[in-house]
Amino acid sequence: MLVSTLFTTALFMAPPLEEPWGCGDSYIVSQGNNSAVSHNGSEAFAWDFDLDEGHFVHAVAGGTVTMVREDSTVGGCSSDFGNAANYVVIDHGDGTGGLYLHFAPNSSPLSVGDPVRAGDMIGRVGLTGWVCGDHLHYQTQEVCGSWYCQSVMASFDDYGVPGYGVSMQSDNCVPCERALDGGVTEIDEADFGCFTGAQQHWTTSTAGLGAHHLHTAATAGGGDLGVWRFGVDTPGTYALDVHIPSNHATAAVSYRVVSDEGVTDVAVNQVDLVGWHGLGEFSFGSSEDDPRVELSNNSGSAGARVAYDAIRLSFIEGPPGESGSTDGGDETGGGDSTAGTTADPSTSAGSDGNTSSAGDTAEPTTAGDSAGDDGSPSGTSGGTTVGESSGAGSGDALPGYGGSNAESGCRTGGDPGGLLLLALLGIRRRRYRLRSQ
């Protein structure tokens, strides 16, 4: 009776949830609540979502980050990996929190204490912890001082309590708050809301501007599209540069620029370039078209990789061809920096002009669409936690893990029991952008 009362109380406290992926995309529930597979006991009210490795994960509700782990590089279909999952925990401020499991190493931009709104990017899907296939595990849970707590009932804004196989289209939309302001505006692939596009089969890397970029396989016909969007507060002519990282950029591609002049395709062989490379000068703000820069993985470069990193727009005083309002130089060893643009002084560059890297993540080994269960811990809440709050990961016994539940873990297959940044406008200090609540 006590447990039932606790669940009922938590249901009324838990905020309505948005989908944990980007605006407009649709994905299915690969395991729902109260599953005979493994969502039972302490994780009875969890969901698994069929997201591929490398996919962006967005917050389902607002709150404050209380725990982050992203140093694990191991996982597998065994309880031996129960305490090896990377995760983010967000306190909703109402007695409940959100637990997001199985993130890729070093893929979260968050730190303990950061405010988060629904829709903010909080990490990327990985294969860490107890997993038998790539997926995202999410549960609303009690706040108990550990990263893994008793799950509680919750529901999604548009879908209630979705069960196994339900396809959910995301309305978790974040507007782009970046606009051309007559100075230098930088937008990278971490500026969610401003960078959107197809996300399947993309992999994150710790190289590139700000020590991160995305990459995917080049294919004839394409299928994956990255789009950098922005508003225009100060109309005019801007020099456009794109940043090419030192690795995973091995394809001949075409950037598409939508400006006042219409649609312009600019061919770039990424393998020949490192650092900033100028695409030309373009006018923005005089037409009603949606200004943007697009990059498809459509390329005849067999076996090559297409890299998605930052773009930079620098205001030019006067008509195209005159000197710009800023006087910067090329990055050392970098590509062709357009006149009037400024190299990023905050980037630690090597001899090739690219940011130094702690090493890249491995190439994707996506196990198709078969998603397993959560891979939550099988014994204690151990593991090294980055910036973890007091009491987390201290070896406390986890509720509900023992007996038959000790055999739970990530499994592929069905769900027979389912009931249901400051990303700089000026470019002095680079950090993933987090908006306040």
Side-chain angles (χ1 to χ4, degrees), residues 283-327:
S283 295
F284 297 100
S286 298
S287 73
E288 295 183 359
D289 290 338
D290 175 23
R292 60 192 184 274
V293 178
E294 300 178 351
L295 177 59
S296 169
N297 68 329
N298 183 8
S299 174
S301 305
R305 307 289 295 179
V306 178
Y308 300 78
D309 204 350
I311 68 170
R312 183 175 64 192
L313 295 118
S314 303
F315 183 72
I316 298 175
E317 293 180 352
E322 294 186 3
S323 60
S325 59
T326 58
D327 186 16

Side-chain angles (χ1 to χ4, degrees), residues 294-386:
E294 300 178 351
L295 177 59
S296 169
N297 68 329
N298 183 8
S299 174
S301 305
R305 307 289 295 179
V306 178
Y308 300 78
D309 204 350
I311 68 170
R312 183 175 64 192
L313 295 118
S314 303
F315 183 72
I316 298 175
E317 293 180 352
E322 294 186 3
S323 60
S325 59
T326 58
D327 186 16
D330 295 351
E331 289 188 333
T332 303
D336 305 321
S337 181
T338 301
T341 62
T342 306
D344 186 349
S346 66
T347 302
S348 175
S351 59
D352 62 357
N354 196 60
T355 51
S356 60
S357 168
D360 301 329
T361 56
E363 295 297 319
T365 55
T366 304
D369 290 333
S370 62
D373 174 50
D374 77 275
S376 45
S378 59
T380 61
S381 57
T384 303
T385 301
V386 179

Side-chain angles (χ1 to χ4, degrees), residues 19-28 51 55-56 58 159 167-173 196-200:
E19 295 73 25
W21 54 82
C23 184
D25 290 343
S26 297
Y27 292 94
I28 67 169
L51 302 184
H55 200 291
F56 305 133
H58 298 247
Y159 293 93
S167 178
M168 301 168 63
Q169 184 174 33
S170 176
D171 192 32
N172 198 356
C173 305
T196 59
Q199 300 168 4
Q200 293 191 31

